[in-house]
Amino acid sequence: MEPIIQIDNLFIEENTVFTELIEVIKKNFAENKLMVPKRHHHDFPNPKMNSDSTLLLMPAWNPSETAGVKIITVSPQNSQFDIPSIQGTYIYLDATKGTIKAIIEAKSLTAKRTAAASALASSYLSRKDASSLLMIGTGALSINLIKAHASVRHLKEVFVWGRSYSKAQAICKQLQNEDFNITPIKTIEEKISDVDIISSATLSKTPLILGKYLRKGQHIDLVGAYKKDMREADDETIFKSNIYVDTYDGIHENGDITIPLKTGILKRENIKADLFELTSLQKQGRTKTEELTVFKSVGHALEDLAAANYFYEKYVNRDLVKSS
């Protein structure tokens, strides 16, 4: 039996080209050939942290070719240990033999594929001339989201807000050599009305994006708030926006969509499209400059397997690339 390859976070960090990864994920959504059962979502007590943790199991298959399952835990209080809230492993399989081909560290894989999916959505939903971004949140996703969005829109100005101003400053320092100006800010309100794209990746239970500050033509990318009692955007934001999602299967797992559906602020039939429909051109994204668009991402196992295929191929071909 062939040895099991170990693909670590360092390899993923050093070998991600967002334009490539976005295209890989786009192709997989458009072709819709992967078999993806509903993911397992289990909240379990974490009394030491006085907060529940979450276990997610996300399998997917490309019959007789590749398969995989991601095992993820989300522990919101991990910041006190100075580690990401998301931890996990991706088991990459040969779908014909059932053998394990690779063990892939899931933190970076998840961050890269999530950012790529948001940027993919932005390519349909944000204005083509969008040039400014507000990043809300300073976790592991923030740098990836900024870079991914910058790969599909020519960003000139980026602003970063987090509950810790020093963390916002640190992110700006890490990205100071990019092709855009990047600035930490102390309040969301000082820039939220000015930017073209707002990307939010937090575990907030109270809305951070308030509709009263939004203007026509903006695009809002909601990536965090993965549980039913979490929200990043308020009712006014949802009510006044055209809503898009990564998949319809995930709309009942998060508060940003579930709560407005329950209260009648949003109707299921008024969700405009998901990524399957956008990438296959069954439905359109933005059609008017003045539209206010919202994309809600909860993650999908298709994205994980597509990303695993991408990084596996990069890994096994790395010697060929070095010698060419």
Side-chain angles (χ1 to χ4, degrees):
M1 191 171 72
E2 294 182 3
I4 297 171
I5 291 171
Q6 303 279 337
I7 302 178
D8 61 18
N9 287 329
L10 180 61
F11 179 85
I12 293 172
E13 291 294 333
E14 292 180 345
N15 290 275
T16 300
V17 178
F18 272 116
T19 51
E20 295 175 351
L21 183 55
I22 291 164
E23 281 301 312
V24 167
I25 292 175
K26 178 180 179 179
K27 183 174 184 287
N28 277 267
F29 270 110
E31 293 179 347
N32 196 13
K33 291 180 179 179
L34 302 186
M35 298 175 65
V36 182
K38 188 175 181 179
R39 71 181 180 182
H40 290 248
H41 183 134
H42 304 283
D43 295 327
F44 61 91
N46 191 347
K48 285 187 177 180
M49 296 295 102
N50 197 31
S51 173
D52 285 355
S53 290
T54 300
L55 172 69
L56 300 172
L57 304 176
M58 302 174 68
W61 296 271
N62 188 352
S64 293
E65 293 188 25
T66 59
V69 58
K70 187 169 74 174
I71 304 169
I72 283 286
T73 58
V74 185
S75 299
Q77 305 302 320
N78 273 4
S79 58
Q80 64 186 278
F81 304 117
D82 199 27
I83 58 174
S85 59
I86 297 174
Q87 300 288 322
T89 296
Y90 195 87
I91 303 174
Y92 184 63
L93 305 164
D94 181 315
T96 301
K97 304 171 189 173
T99 53
I100 298 174
K101 298 175 73 173
I103 302 294
I104 306 173
E105 289 192 46
K107 292 191 293 296
S108 286
L109 180 141
T110 300
K112 302 300 183 188
R113 67 79 152 149
T114 301
S118 282
L120 174 60
S122 179
S123 71
Y124 294 97
L125 302 177
S126 66
R127 298 196 325 271
K128 294 189 185 303
D129 65 349
S131 63
S132 55
L133 169 76
L134 168 60
M135 183 70 237
I136 298 175
T138 55
L141 267 172
S142 56
I143 288 177
N144 291 291
L145 283 162
I146 293 168
K147 287 184 174 182
H149 278 291
S151 74
V152 298
R153 293 292 182 253
H154 182 52
L155 297 182
K156 298 176 183 177
E157 296 285 345
V158 174
F159 304 94
V160 181
W161 176 88
R163 298 188 191 280
S164 166
Y165 184 67
S166 62
K167 288 185 178 180
Q169 289 177 307
I171 287 171
C172 293
K173 186 174 182 179
Q174 282 185 258
L175 297 177
Q176 63 185 353
N177 294 322
E178 298 293 327
D179 292 334
F180 45 75
N181 295 320
I182 185 164
T183 308
I185 58 174
K186 293 187 175 179
T187 65
I188 293 172
E189 291 75 16
E190 64 193 84
K191 286 297 176 183
I192 191 171
S193 301
D194 300 331
V195 296
D196 300 318
I197 300 170
I198 302 161
S199 184
S200 185
T202 74
L203 300 176
S204 181
K205 294 197 173 185
T206 56
L208 299 169
I209 298 170
L210 306 181
K212 66 182 180 180
Y213 295 118
L214 301 178
R215 59 173 172 80
K216 293 180 180 179
Q218 290 180 302
H219 172 59
I220 296 97
D221 172 39
L222 302 177
V223 183
Y226 66 97
K227 293 170 71 172
K228 293 178 182 179
D229 63 344
M230 294 178 174
R231 290 198 73 173
E232 294 189 294
D234 68 354
D235 283 347
E236 185 176 346
T237 299
I238 301 300
F239 181 75
K240 68 197 300 185
S241 303
N242 288 332
I243 309 299
Y244 298 81
V245 296
D246 51 0
T247 68
Y248 293 116
D249 288 343
I251 62 175
H252 297 294
E253 292 187 18
N254 66 90
D256 280 315
I257 301 298
T258 298
I259 295 171
L261 283 173
K262 284 183 177 179
T263 59
I265 295 293
L266 175 67
K267 295 186 183 302
R268 170 64 174 75
E269 58 268 25
N270 290 339
I271 298 175
K272 297 292 185 181
D274 68 2
L275 284 179
F276 289 106
E277 295 167 328
L278 289 174
T279 55
S280 62
L281 305 181
Q282 296 177 53
K283 292 186 179 179
Q284 285 186 295
R286 177 181 292 271
T287 58
K288 298 177 182 178
T289 302
E290 65 270 19
E291 277 183 74
L292 186 62
T293 56
V294 166
F295 173 68
K296 177 59 189 178
S297 169
V298 297
H300 194 259
L302 175 149
E303 300 161 16
D304 294 310
L305 183 53
N309 289 333
Y310 172 75
F311 291 118
Y312 181 81
E313 291 301 320
K314 284 240 176 182
Y315 190 90
V316 297
N317 292 322
R318 69 196 188 284
D319 293 331
L320 294 176
V321 173
K322 289 177 183 177
S323 61
S324 62

